[in-house]
Amino acid sequence: MHRLVAGRALLTLGGRIGARTWLLAGAALLAVFVVGLVASSGGGSGRAAGPAALGEKLTVAVAAVVFGVAGAWLGFVLALGAVERLGRLAPVLRPWVFVGPALALIGLFLVYPMLSTILDAVTLDGGAARNFGDLAADASVWLAIRNNALWLVLGTGGSVGLGLLTAVLFDRVRGEAVAKAVVFLPMAISMAGAATIWRFVYAWRPPGEPQIGLLNAVWTASGAEPVAWVQAAPLNTPLLIVIMIWLQAGFAMVVLSAAIKAVPREILEAARVDGATEPALFRLILLPIIRPSIVAVTTTVAIMVLKVFDIVFVMTGGNFETDVIANRMFRELVTYRDFGHASALAVVLFLAVLPIGLLSVRSMVQGRVVR
């Protein structure tokens, strides 16, 4: 309702704009663009240091927010005013004023790069036979694919499983909001930030030196020798996956908790009256009802896990048999400057993500996702 009222207000405002107001708004929009450009460039001065650099960054951030919002508003007002003056074409063109910018951005930053990457994979550096053939013959690429499969199974299963477990356990406990906030808190951290935190957890020092890593401190407390966890293959990959589970379990918990609370309590009470135990209640009644939400969460986490890069790059750089497709693609592109191989790896990753994305879209189209 609020969006409808706001949309009508914009339409009314756009229709009442006169030619003089158009010119003023256009001049203001140009001024906003110029000021934002100057602010983003730092006023043409060199890079500052210390507090001055922080002040410059804050200025750019504030300018981007203020002028970006003002520019977008002025752009919508001008576009709506222009559309309203087209008579019969106004009802046809009006929706495109709202969806047009979004579609343009999607086309520019998603569709065009995707098509360009596919074209590069089949044309650059000897064409598709060379690019994909070299990848198929490279044992390190197959190691990355195997690790991605391991991430997909353990990362997705662990995140969704832990999220479902905490959602069920916290559903009727005292202090539910606090408990869920603690589990959800890691979602506020970026993957690179989380990897940096966990580097201290897995940190290793030679025997005889103080162990600053939490895991080694606990491990050596019983007299055992410290372990270089991130270098100990094949244990290191599951340890990196633990970071992803720590990050995504909160997301899964929030969505699944909302689905559980949407289940009619009458159904659960009737099953209890009929003698159903709590495990049977969960397995035979609760799980089938929240299945669409589980599918939605699983596909979302799976797509994120397949594209994992930050954690591996920060923790190991892909060394010690922990490489994944995204990190290998980055290495081919930035380190080796082999655009053909990098594009081919991007296509492989896209083909791996595509079925999961289609499954997610299909679930939403069929209306099975809990809203």
Side-chain angles (χ1 to χ4, degrees):
M1 179 62 69
H2 295 293
R3 292 180 181 177
L4 181 59
V5 172
R8 288 178 177 174
L10 276 176
L11 291 175
T12 303
L13 180 60
R16 292 180 178 177
I17 289 179
R20 181 177 299 178
T21 310
W22 274 39
L23 294 176
L24 292 176
L29 182 59
L30 180 61
V32 163
F33 175 76
V34 172
V35 174
L37 186 62
V38 172
S40 64
S41 63
S45 60
R47 289 188 177 272
L54 178 60
E56 179 183 334
K57 293 179 180 179
L58 290 176
T59 302
V60 172
V62 172
V65 172
V66 175
F67 296 129
V69 172
W73 181 82
L74 285 175
F76 273 116
V77 169
L78 290 174
L80 286 172
V83 166
E84 290 302 314
R85 292 177 175 271
L86 295 179
R88 298 180 185 179
L89 293 177
V92 178
L93 297 178
R94 191 180 300 139
W96 294 100
V97 175
F98 294 93
V99 301
L103 292 178
L105 291 175
I106 290 174
L108 181 62
F109 294 107
L110 289 180
V111 178
Y112 170 73
M114 178 189 69
L115 297 178
S116 178
T117 301
I118 295 175
L119 183 62
D120 290 344
V122 299
T123 57
L124 292 181
D125 302 327
R130 181 256 181 185
N131 292 326
F132 290 97
D134 288 353
L135 294 182
D138 192 340
S140 61
V141 174
W142 285 104
L143 174 65
I145 293 175
R146 186 202 70 183
N147 286 338
N148 265 97
L150 194 63
W151 275 84
L152 180 62
V153 175
L154 297 183
T156 306
S159 299
V160 178
L162 183 60
L164 179 61
L165 178 63
T166 53
V168 173
L169 292 179
F170 294 162
D171 187 45
R172 289 178 293 176
V173 299
R174 182 179 300 177
E176 175 184 356
V178 176
K180 288 182 177 179
V182 172
V183 178
F184 185 77
L185 195 59
M187 280 291 297
I189 307 173
S190 67
M191 288 193 183
T196 303
I197 293 172
W198 281 80
R199 286 188 66 176
F200 291 100
V201 176
Y202 294 148
W204 171 83
R205 291 290 183 272
E209 296 187 12
Q211 298 299 321
I212 63 172
L214 176 62
L215 188 56
N216 265 320
V218 175
W219 180 259
T220 57
S222 60
E225 292 294 323
V227 178
W229 300 105
V230 297
Q231 302 177 20
L235 180 63
N236 48 6
T237 295
L239 290 177
L240 298 187
I241 296 174
V242 169
I243 304 175
M244 178 65 77
I245 296 174
W246 180 69
L247 284 171
Q248 297 302 316
F251 163 73
M253 177 202 67
V254 168
V255 177
L256 296 177
S257 178
I260 290 173
K261 290 188 178 300
V263 176
R265 294 298 171 182
E266 295 80 3
I267 298 177
L268 302 179
E269 293 301 329
R272 291 190 180 97
V273 171
D274 289 339
T277 61
E278 291 299 322
L281 192 71
F282 173 76
R283 181 171 54 88
L284 299 177
I285 297 179
L286 198 60
L287 274 183
I289 294 177
I290 67 172
R291 179 180 174 274
S293 294
I294 295 177
V295 172
V297 171
T298 302
T299 53
T300 303
V301 175
I303 292 173
M304 188 172 299
V305 166
L306 279 175
K307 299 186 298 181
V308 64
F309 165 76
D310 312 61
I311 295 175
V312 175
F313 182 79
V314 173
M315 294 292 293
T316 65
N319 299 312
F320 315 116
E321 301 182 15
T322 60
D323 209 4
V324 290
I325 296 177
N327 187 75
R328 179 58 186 265
M329 177 183 67
F330 176 82
R331 186 182 301 176
E332 292 284 350
L333 180 65
V334 176
T335 304
Y336 305 138
R337 308 300 293 175
D338 193 331
F339 296 97
H341 280 170
S343 300
L345 284 168
V347 172
V348 170
L349 187 58
F350 170 72
L351 293 177
V353 172
L354 184 61
I356 302 176
L358 293 177
L359 177 62
S360 178
V361 172
R362 180 185 175 188
S363 298
M364 289 187 289
V365 168
Q366 292 180 352
R368 296 202 302 260
V369 179
V370 175
R371 302 185 190 279

